[in-house]
Amino acid sequence: MISASDFYKVMCAMVPLYFAMLVAYGSVKWWKIFTPEQCAGINRFVAVFAVPVLSFHFISQNNPYEMDTKFILADTLSKMFVLVLLSIWAVCTGKFDWMITLFSVSTLPNTLVMGIPLLKAMYGDFTQSLMVQLVVLQCIIWYTFLLFLFEYRGATMLIRSQFPGSIAASITKFEIDNDVISLDGRGPLCTESEMDVNGRIHVRIRRSTSSAPESVLSSSLGLTPRASNLSNAEIFSVNTPAPLHEFHHANGDIAFGHGDLGFGYHATSPRLSGYASSDAYSLQPTPRASNFNEMDAVTATAIVNTPMWIRSPAAAGKVHRQPSPTTKIVWDSPGKGQGGLGEGQGHKDALGENDLSFRDCSIVEVGPHGAAKDQEMPNAFVMLRLILIMVGRKLLRNPNTYSSALGLLWSLISFKWNFGMPSLVKYSIKIISDAGLGMAMFSLGLFMALQPRIIACGTKMAAVGMVIRFVCGPLIMSAASIAVGLRGIRLHAAIVQAALPQGIVPFVFAREYGLHPDILSTGVIFGMLVSLPVTLLYYIVLGL
């Protein structure tokens, strides 16, 4: 039976976190203390320093030689069960995109920021070690696997648009330029293809301006490009217009246009947003001004008629110039022209189209005569190599990758030979990690304040997401825990941690790759508000 003192102890652990989030929300929404650009600076500190150092602090203090095997096995079995179930459903229905989203919503909670303090207050200090073990698995295995799924989706979209039908089956090699970090479509990319005498195609993927003559860009767009370090999902907020992908297709040439002003491509709003989404997962340079915003004045017609530099297999590898017809992948609101889970959940409020922060991705046309229906793919090894290269490059730019790996490495060494961290280093890390939890919640409050509404995906979709997050997830986790023999407090801790709010990293991926970011955003924001009473309810019921 839960006593009043136990309940008060839990509230003492959680109320300060929600207070930090509330103060951040009010400082932007009500008191106008911070501008979006200042929010970006705060979020950048949290993403690059506070959260990675916090992760290192917890992981380095956890003894990896005393892992709770049953607890880890229960968590792994629950995720594998959901993955297998969703994979079978995706194969039968063809809804691979929804498989990724539902897997993120149902299995990846906010364990680091919310799980450690909440479970520690509920069930004691030993749960901190359990949560840290799950954090290690999330960072090293599950987030990497999720990134693999997103890159696979990006690769298939690129191939379908540039090599429709059976052409893609002849691809035997992809060469990716060093400045291509991801296939998320947020940066301008081009493909060049060469065919040898045996009919094998070699494809080079590069950024659109990295190898093309500068005269093409300057003459067609009327501007002199200069370097800009805005990349990936650097900025988003209420002022961020919906992204628009345009694939310029001419024998293997592709260019991704993007609608975010922060990225400098086809901006539809002159307002600059300051909240950095990918900072929660990617290490990006500090944003600075770029004159690629001048492309705002370029119409879609002008871009369609812009000559593209391509290398054609038919021309024996010679580079020639020709106008490129256009194939478009457009971003639309959930339910707009779509069926399935998003049907009827489009944004129907008074906001203008350019003010909608989140859009869902649907393919309007991928090739002539519906070529995507009979689409073939390259050899599995070729695709695997392409995706692994992209995943590796993304992970190398992620500060959490280094903090998790270094924390795990140090714990393996220190607990093996009973070697403590020098006090000078220990307290240097501690002073930053102590601010990690509060600053992470403060950053979430800033994010909430910058959004046009808390429920971005519609009430029906939000209700479905909350049921999956707070009911289905704990039920599956409880079944897996009982199956492996968990009992008592550890079983209760496993169920409560499965009812934590949506993790931030899956939302960052969804925003970067343009896959149902409105659903994940609602899971993060609305889930934070719902999770406290829900987890308290689980805590009380399990304690009866």
Side-chain angles (χ1 to χ4, degrees):
M1 185 69 181
I2 304 300
S3 65
S5 60
D6 293 333
F7 182 81
Y8 181 74
K9 183 179 179 182
V10 173
M11 296 303 295
C12 287
M14 299 309 299
V15 168
L17 296 179
Y18 279 87
F19 177 76
M21 186 174 68
L22 180 63
V23 169
Y25 182 87
S27 65
V28 174
K29 201 74 170 181
W30 304 325
W31 308 315
K32 312 297 181 184
I33 297 175
F34 298 114
T35 64
E37 289 77 15
Q38 291 168 336
C39 293
I42 296 172
N43 182 73
R44 188 160 192 78
F45 166 76
V46 173
V48 178
F49 292 106
V51 172
V53 173
L54 180 66
S55 300
F56 175 84
H57 175 71
F58 281 127
I59 295 173
S60 63
Q61 291 185 343
N62 181 64
N63 189 346
Y65 302 103
E66 296 180 359
M67 304 282 277
D68 193 317
T69 307
K70 288 186 177 180
F71 194 86
I72 294 176
L73 182 59
D75 180 75
T76 303
L77 282 179
S78 66
K79 289 179 170 59
M80 290 300 297
F81 175 78
V82 172
L83 181 61
V84 171
L85 193 65
L86 290 176
S87 299
I88 295 173
W89 175 74
V91 170
C92 296
T93 61
K95 295 180 179 179
F96 179 74
D97 289 0
W98 280 107
M99 185 203 82
I100 300 176
T101 300
L102 293 176
F103 178 76
S104 300
V105 171
S106 59
T107 63
L108 298 174
N110 192 347
T111 307
L112 177 63
V113 176
M114 291 290 293
I116 292 176
L118 178 63
L119 272 296
K120 185 177 179 180
M122 287 181 173
Y123 298 111
D125 293 341
F126 82 97
T127 58
Q128 177 174 313
S129 176
L130 298 179
M131 295 301 103
V132 171
Q133 293 169 26
L134 297 187
V135 168
V136 173
L137 292 178
Q138 278 188 352
C139 292
I140 296 178
I141 298 178
W142 296 111
Y143 288 157
T144 303
F145 174 73
L146 189 63
L147 184 60
F148 183 93
L149 294 179
F150 276 110
E151 287 293 337
Y152 172 78
R153 174 179 175 267
T156 55
M157 290 173 66
L158 185 150
I159 291 171
R160 285 174 178 172
S161 65
Q162 293 306 290
F163 305 95
S166 61
I167 300 175
S170 301
I171 298 176
T172 58
K173 184 178 181 181
F174 284 98
E175 295 181 2
I176 307 101
D177 283 10
N178 292 331
D179 57 355
V180 177
I181 305 302
S182 175
L183 300 179
D184 55 15
R186 303 188 74 87
L189 297 178
C190 293
T191 59
E192 295 175 351
S193 59
E194 290 182 339
M195 181 182 293
D196 61 18
V197 294
N198 297 320
R200 294 174 297 188
I201 299 176
H202 293 180
V203 179
R204 177 193 174 194
I205 303 175
R206 61 174 176 82
R207 299 186 68 174
S208 64
T209 58
S210 62
S211 302
E214 292 185 4
S215 58
V216 175
L217 184 65
S218 59
S219 62
S220 60
L221 301 180
L223 56 90
T224 302
R226 63 173 177 265
S228 171
N229 58 6
L230 295 172
S231 61
N232 287 342
E234 184 69 11
I235 292 173
F236 69 90
S237 79
V238 58
N239 294 333
T240 302
L244 171 64
H245 287 200
E246 294 190 1
F247 294 85
H248 299 281
H249 177 53
N251 273 341
D253 197 280
I254 179 172
F256 293 113
H258 196 275
D260 282 350
L261 183 61
F263 299 89
Y265 308 106
H266 303 296
T268 57
S269 170
R271 298 170 295 179
L272 191 63
S273 162
Y275 192 89
S277 66
S278 66
D279 282 351
Y281 197 79
S282 303
L283 180 59
Q284 303 294 345
T286 302
R288 62 174 179 266
S290 168
N291 68 353
F292 280 101
N293 293 342
E294 297 170 26
M295 293 182 70
D296 193 11
V298 180
T299 63
T301 303
I303 293 175
V304 170
N305 294 328
T306 300
M308 305 292 292
W309 289 88
I310 62 126
R311 182 175 295 161
S312 172
K318 296 181 180 180
V319 178
H320 61 92
R321 190 184 185 200
Q322 72 177 44
S324 54
T326 301
T327 300
K328 288 186 179 181
I329 288 185
V330 300
W331 297 64
D332 206 349
S333 57
K336 186 176 181 180
Q338 302 181 59
L341 294 176
E343 188 172 359
Q345 294 299 315
H347 300 290
K348 298 179 180 180
D349 55 15
L351 290 174
E353 183 179 2
N354 292 336
D355 288 328
L356 296 177
S357 295
F358 304 111
R359 302 298 174 93
D360 193 7
C361 177
S362 60
I363 298 178
V364 172
E365 180 184 1
V366 291
H369 310 299
K373 295 181 179 179
D374 300 322
Q375 178 69 45
E376 294 187 22
M377 285 292 164
N379 181 274
F381 176 78
V382 175
M383 286 290 291
L384 181 63
R385 178 180 176 274
L386 170 65
I387 297 169
L388 289 179
I389 290 175
M390 293 293 96
V391 170
R393 291 182 181 182
K394 290 280 284 188
L395 292 177
L396 289 176
R397 295 172 66 89
N398 170 23
N400 287 319
T401 301
Y402 299 99
S403 65
S404 300
L406 290 176
L408 182 60
L409 179 63
W410 176 258
S411 65
L412 288 170
I413 295 173
S414 62
F415 286 99
K416 179 69 173 179
W417 289 286
N418 197 24
F419 180 78
M421 186 177 294
S423 298
L424 186 66
V425 178
K426 178 180 178 180
Y427 290 109
S428 297
I429 293 174
K430 186 177 184 297
I431 197 171
I432 298 180
S433 65
D434 285 346
L437 283 177
M439 289 302 300
M441 294 299 292
F442 193 89
S443 180
L444 279 174
L446 296 178
F447 168 62
M448 291 173 61
L450 289 170
Q451 302 312 308
R453 53 187 177 273
I454 292 178
I455 301 178
C457 62
T459 54
K460 180 180 178 181
M461 182 60 64
V464 173
M466 294 302 104
V467 170
I468 294 174
R469 171 72 266 158
F470 296 113
V471 178
C472 296
L475 284 177
I476 295 173
M477 184 64 183
S478 62
S481 300
I482 294 173
V484 300
L486 277 184
R487 297 292 186 273
I489 294 180
R490 290 192 301 165
L491 174 61
H492 297 172
I495 296 173
V496 173
Q497 73 85 25
L500 294 171
Q502 178 64 52
I504 301 173
V505 173
F507 161 69
V508 173
F509 286 165
R511 184 67 179 96
E512 287 186 356
Y513 291 87
L515 181 60
H516 308 136
D518 50 351
I519 298 175
L520 274 298
S521 169
T522 303
V524 172
I525 299 175
F526 190 60
M528 286 295 298
L529 303 177
V530 174
S531 65
L532 182 58
V534 169
T535 51
L536 287 175
L537 181 62
Y538 275 110
Y539 177 57
I540 294 172
V541 171
L542 292 172
L544 294 176

